[in-house]
């Protein structure tokens, strides 16, 4: 089955700096890669996603890149703000949702 | 309305109790999911309903029993749970069973005593 690794497990950045979180996956059949943000006491919130026919996608301060050959994808957050502090999960799934697997998560702290 | 609503938000139950968790969405999604999340861990898939039929059961113990009365509602019936079942139980929905653009509820924090 699919295995998703995520690094780093914790990340601290100064407000205004950029943050990058990287994930790798094992199943070449995976073709959908969402990123979720989970704040304390809340459910995961989809913040951006990418499909295998696209190499990069951007939404304001958030961007995701995908390298399908190398089986890795990354989340980039620019101009970080304290409200970006949360746990971020990457995930990978195939077209049938049979292998929707989360990475272990990254705890991002943005220091004012 | 892009909301998945879960009730109750918190639940404390004894090991001999029977209780149910409820989940509701009105986005017209035809797939609904139950996940279990332990502290500092990612969500783990338990069940998937696609078009009101159970399509995935990730080898979940029978003390957890899902039910999908209609396309908007998803229940999780709990019976004879163990303390190690204490966790955050998350419901999610997506347009179809492909798990794309899944929306999560806020979860039910379950404590088994």
């Amino acid at each position: 089955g699919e295995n998703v690794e995520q690094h780093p497990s914790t990340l601290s950045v100064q407000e205004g700096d950029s943050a990058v979180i990287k994930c790798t996956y094992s199943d070449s059949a995976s073709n959908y890669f969402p990123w979720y943000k989970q704040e304390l006491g809340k459910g995961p919130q989809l913040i951006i996603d990418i499909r295998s026919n696209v190499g990069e996608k951007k939404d304001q301060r958030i961007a995701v890149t995908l390298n399908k050959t190398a089986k890795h994808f990354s989340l980039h957050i620019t101009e970080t703000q304290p409200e970006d502090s949360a746990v971020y999960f990457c995930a990978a799934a195939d077209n049938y949702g049979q292998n929707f697997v989360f990475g272990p998560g990254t705890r991002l702290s943005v220091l004012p | 309305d892009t909301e998945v609503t879960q009730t109750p938000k918190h639940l404390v139950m004894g090991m001999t109790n029977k209780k149910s968790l409820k989940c509701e969405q009105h986005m017209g999604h035809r797939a609904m999911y139950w996940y279990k999340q332990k502290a500092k861990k990612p969500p783990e898939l338990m069940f998937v309903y696609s078009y009101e039929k159970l399509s995935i059961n990730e080898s979940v113990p029978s003390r957890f029993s899902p039910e999908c009365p209609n396309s908007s509602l998803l229940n999780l019936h709990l019976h004879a749970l163990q303390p190690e079942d204490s966790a955050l139980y998350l419901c999610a929905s997506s347009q179809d069973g492909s798990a794309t653009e899944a929306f999560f509820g806020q979860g039910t924090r379950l404590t088994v005593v």
Side-chain angles (χ1 to χ4, degrees):
Chain A
E2 175 65 277
N3 180 49
V4 178
E5 296 185 355
Q6 185 172 345
H7 299 280
S9 56
T10 60
L11 178 60
S12 293
V13 299
Q14 289 294 136
E15 182 177 358
D17 287 350
S18 295
V20 180
I21 303 170
K22 298 182 179 182
C23 287
T24 61
Y25 62 99
S26 60
D27 190 347
S28 56
S30 291
N31 58 8
Y32 174 65
F33 307 94
W35 284 90
Y36 284 86
K37 174 184 180 182
Q38 188 173 24
E39 296 175 283
L40 193 63
K42 296 187 177 181
Q45 176 192 6
L46 179 67
I47 56 172
I48 196 168
D49 56 13
I50 193 167
R51 298 174 196 278
S52 60
N53 58 346
V54 176
E56 183 174 356
K57 184 176 177 181
K58 191 174 181 180
D59 183 4
Q60 299 183 347
R61 298 186 296 109
I62 295 173
V64 57
T65 58
L66 170 65
N67 183 328
K68 209 158 191 319
T69 303
K71 295 197 186 76
H72 64 71
F73 56 111
S74 300
L75 177 71
H76 304 252
I77 306 174
T78 59
E79 301 172 21
T80 54
Q81 301 166 2
E83 51 264 38
D84 294 329
S85 297
V87 178
Y88 290 81
F89 292 102
C90 62
D94 61 21
N95 265 341
Y96 306 100
Q98 298 293 325
N99 290 306
F100 190 77
V101 178
F102 282 89
T106 295
R107 182 171 298 279
L108 173 64
S109 299
V110 180
L111 309 174
Chain B
D1 181 6
T2 57
E3 203 169 272
V4 176
T5 304
Q6 290 188 243
T7 54
K9 287 188 169 47
H10 301 275
L11 178 63
V12 178
M13 62 184 290
M15 288 188 282
T16 59
N17 291 160
K18 286 185 181 181
K19 296 286 184 184
S20 296
L21 309 185
K22 297 186 183 301
C23 175
E24 191 169 2
Q25 58 87 14
H26 296 288
M27 295 177 276
H29 288 173
R30 301 313 301 267
M32 296 185 77
Y33 312 79
W34 280 115
Y35 284 85
K36 174 182 178 179
Q37 187 177 26
K38 300 284 271 185
K40 299 186 179 180
K41 296 289 186 183
E44 293 178 19
L45 184 64
M46 299 174 72
F47 302 105
V48 180
Y49 273 84
S50 181
Y51 293 87
E52 299 159 52
K53 290 189 181 344
L54 183 64
S55 60
I56 294 178
N57 176 342
E58 291 286 356
S59 304
V60 179
S62 60
R63 56 186 185 268
F64 296 91
S65 175
E67 178 196 20
C68 189
N70 60 55
S71 60
S72 299
L73 295 173
L74 185 66
N75 299 321
L76 186 62
H77 302 298
L78 314 173
H79 174 54
L81 295 193
Q82 303 297 310
E84 57 264 30
D85 296 321
S86 298
L88 181 68
Y89 287 84
L90 293 161
C91 173
S93 71
S94 65
Q95 190 168 6
D96 54 33
S98 65
T100 57
E101 299 181 338
F103 293 85
F104 281 80
Q106 300 284 51
T108 293
R109 175 74 60 189
L110 174 67
T111 303
V112 181
V113 297

